[in-house]
Amino acid sequence: MKTFLITYTLNSFERLYPVISDKIKSYPKWARISQYAWLIQTDQSVSNVRSDLKTSIDEDGTIFVIDVSSSAWATFAVSKNVTNWMRENM
């Protein structure tokens, strides 16, 4: 499985945030780094993940998906649950 970092912006935050966060949580393994940044694990390609998520935002929103499998990382003030997830899945 590959690990992807997902970030996004929403112009209709209150209406669309639950939609995109639920979509991200539908992946088998996920961790929320911050309000608009998530990690997921999947066998899908980056373009498939992007296409899946873009149905959850409005036309003025943005989505960025990057493969971070086997990447070095460092954090500051990120929850222990997330850093534990990163140790186990990256």
Side-chain angles (χ1 to χ4, degrees):
M1 288 192 143
K2 297 175 237 169
T3 303
F4 297 129
L5 172 66
I6 300 166
T7 65
Y8 56 89
T9 59
L10 302 173
N11 290 319
S12 303
F13 176 77
E14 289 182 20
R15 180 175 60 85
L16 294 175
Y17 184 78
V19 176
I20 194 164
S21 63
D22 288 347
K23 179 73 83 169
I24 293 169
K25 290 176 184 177
S26 73
Y27 287 90
K29 290 188 170 187
W30 57 268
R32 182 177 172 204
I33 300 170
S34 65
Q35 188 170 8
Y36 302 106
W38 298 71
L39 291 164
I40 64 165
Q41 254 196 345
T42 182
D43 288 323
Q44 294 183 31
S45 68
V46 290
S47 57
N48 284 349
V49 171
R50 186 250 358 253
S51 295
D52 184 40
L53 296 176
K54 76 179 184 179
T55 63
S56 302
I57 66 169
D58 58 22
E59 60 276 355
D60 295 327
T62 62
I63 296 176
F64 177 78
V65 181
I66 186 170
D67 187 341
V68 294
S69 304
S70 302
S71 294
W73 56 273
T75 64
F76 174 77
V78 174
S79 79
K80 188 163 181 74
N81 288 341
V82 171
T83 56
N84 286 341
W85 188 98
M86 292 170 72
R87 276 189 202 91
E88 293 171 10
N89 296 288
M90 293 180 67

